[in-house]
PDB file of all heavy atoms in Angstrom:
ATOM      1  N   SER A   2       2.016   1.211   0.662  1.00  0.00           N
ATOM      2  CA  SER A   2       2.899   2.378   0.722  1.00  0.00           C
ATOM      3  C   SER A   2       3.415   2.770  -0.663  1.00  0.00           C
ATOM      4  O   SER A   2       3.581   3.956  -0.957  1.00  0.00           O
ATOM      5  CB  SER A   2       4.074   2.108   1.654  1.00  0.00           C
ATOM      6  OG  SER A   2       3.613   2.007   2.979  1.00  0.00           O
ATOM      7  N   LEU A  11       2.770  11.666  -8.528  1.00  0.00           N
ATOM      8  CA  LEU A  11       1.887  12.278  -9.524  1.00  0.00           C
ATOM      9  C   LEU A  11       1.466  13.680  -9.090  1.00  0.00           C
ATOM     10  O   LEU A  11       1.455  14.617  -9.902  1.00  0.00           O
ATOM     11  CB  LEU A  11       0.651  11.410  -9.753  1.00  0.00           C
ATOM     12  CG  LEU A  11       0.865  10.067 -10.432  1.00  0.00           C
ATOM     13  CD1 LEU A  11      -0.481   9.361 -10.626  1.00  0.00           C
ATOM     14  CD2 LEU A  11       1.582  10.216 -11.762  1.00  0.00           C
ATOM     15  N   TRP A  16       1.876  19.793  -9.033  1.00  0.00           N
ATOM     16  CA  TRP A  16       2.207  21.125  -8.510  1.00  0.00           C
ATOM     17  C   TRP A  16       3.367  21.768  -9.251  1.00  0.00           C
ATOM     18  O   TRP A  16       3.421  22.991  -9.394  1.00  0.00           O
ATOM     19  CB  TRP A  16       2.381  21.150  -7.002  1.00  0.00           C
ATOM     20  CG  TRP A  16       3.556  20.487  -6.362  1.00  0.00           C
ATOM     21  CD1 TRP A  16       3.555  19.306  -5.698  1.00  0.00           C
ATOM     22  CD2 TRP A  16       4.894  20.993  -6.260  1.00  0.00           C
ATOM     23  NE1 TRP A  16       4.813  19.039  -5.199  1.00  0.00           N
ATOM     24  CE2 TRP A  16       5.647  20.064  -5.527  1.00  0.00           C
ATOM     25  CE3 TRP A  16       5.526  22.141  -6.717  1.00  0.00           C
ATOM     26  CZ2 TRP A  16       6.995  20.231  -5.246  1.00  0.00           C
ATOM     27  CZ3 TRP A  16       6.882  22.320  -6.433  1.00  0.00           C
ATOM     28  CH2 TRP A  16       7.596  21.364  -5.709  1.00  0.00           C
ATOM     29  N   LEU A  30      -7.121  30.751  -8.744  1.00  0.00           N
ATOM     30  CA  LEU A  30      -7.549  29.358  -8.911  1.00  0.00           C
ATOM     31  C   LEU A  30      -6.350  28.443  -9.143  1.00  0.00           C
ATOM     32  O   LEU A  30      -6.210  27.410  -8.481  1.00  0.00           O
ATOM     33  CB  LEU A  30      -8.556  29.221 -10.058  1.00  0.00           C
ATOM     34  CG  LEU A  30      -9.043  27.801 -10.333  1.00  0.00           C
ATOM     35  CD1 LEU A  30      -9.744  27.211  -9.106  1.00  0.00           C
ATOM     36  CD2 LEU A  30      -9.956  27.773 -11.542  1.00  0.00           C
ATOM     37  N   ILE A  40       0.223  20.063  -0.895  1.00  0.00           N
ATOM     38  CA  ILE A  40      -0.166  19.495   0.398  1.00  0.00           C
ATOM     39  C   ILE A  40      -0.466  18.004   0.262  1.00  0.00           C
ATOM     40  O   ILE A  40      -0.010  17.195   1.075  1.00  0.00           O
ATOM     41  CB  ILE A  40      -1.365  20.267   0.981  1.00  0.00           C
ATOM     42  CG1 ILE A  40      -0.932  21.683   1.368  1.00  0.00           C
ATOM     43  CG2 ILE A  40      -1.981  19.534   2.167  1.00  0.00           C
ATOM     44  CD1 ILE A  40      -2.074  22.634   1.670  1.00  0.00           C
ATOM     45  N   VAL A  41      -1.214  17.637  -0.778  1.00  0.00           N
ATOM     46  CA  VAL A  41      -1.542  16.220  -0.991  1.00  0.00           C
ATOM     47  C   VAL A  41      -0.267  15.422  -1.248  1.00  0.00           C
ATOM     48  O   VAL A  41      -0.078  14.337  -0.679  1.00  0.00           O
ATOM     49  CB  VAL A  41      -2.552  16.057  -2.145  1.00  0.00           C
ATOM     50  CG1 VAL A  41      -2.726  14.589  -2.519  1.00  0.00           C
ATOM     51  CG2 VAL A  41      -3.895  16.675  -1.773  1.00  0.00           C
ATOM     52  N   THR A  57      15.038   5.698  -0.211  1.00  0.00           N
ATOM     53  CA  THR A  57      14.379   5.080  -1.359  1.00  0.00           C
ATOM     54  C   THR A  57      13.097   5.820  -1.706  1.00  0.00           C
ATOM     55  O   THR A  57      12.851   6.153  -2.870  1.00  0.00           O
ATOM     56  CB  THR A  57      14.066   3.601  -1.059  1.00  0.00           C
ATOM     57  OG1 THR A  57      15.291   2.921  -0.780  1.00  0.00           O
ATOM     58  CG2 THR A  57      13.357   2.946  -2.226  1.00  0.00           C
ATOM     59  N   ILE A  97      14.067   4.387 -11.014  1.00  0.00           N
ATOM     60  CA  ILE A  97      12.900   4.234 -10.147  1.00  0.00           C
ATOM     61  C   ILE A  97      12.551   2.752  -9.998  1.00  0.00           C
ATOM     62  O   ILE A  97      12.331   2.256  -8.884  1.00  0.00           O
ATOM     63  CB  ILE A  97      11.689   5.023 -10.697  1.00  0.00           C
ATOM     64  CG1 ILE A  97      11.970   6.525 -10.631  1.00  0.00           C
ATOM     65  CG2 ILE A  97      10.412   4.682  -9.942  1.00  0.00           C
ATOM     66  CD1 ILE A  97      10.959   7.348 -11.422  1.00  0.00           C
ATOM     67  N   VAL A  98      12.511   2.054 -11.116  1.00  0.00           N
ATOM     68  CA  VAL A  98      12.182   0.614 -11.083  1.00  0.00           C
ATOM     69  C   VAL A  98      13.250  -0.139 -10.293  1.00  0.00           C
ATOM     70  O   VAL A  98      12.933  -1.005  -9.469  1.00  0.00           O
ATOM     71  CB  VAL A  98      12.052   0.059 -12.515  1.00  0.00           C
ATOM     72  CG1 VAL A  98      11.942  -1.457 -12.510  1.00  0.00           C
ATOM     73  CG2 VAL A  98      10.838   0.680 -13.222  1.00  0.00           C
TER      74      VAL A  98
END
Side-chain angles (χ1 to χ4, degrees):
S2 292
L11 292 182
W16 70 256
L30 179 60
I40 292 167
V41 171
T57 300
I97 293 168
V98 171

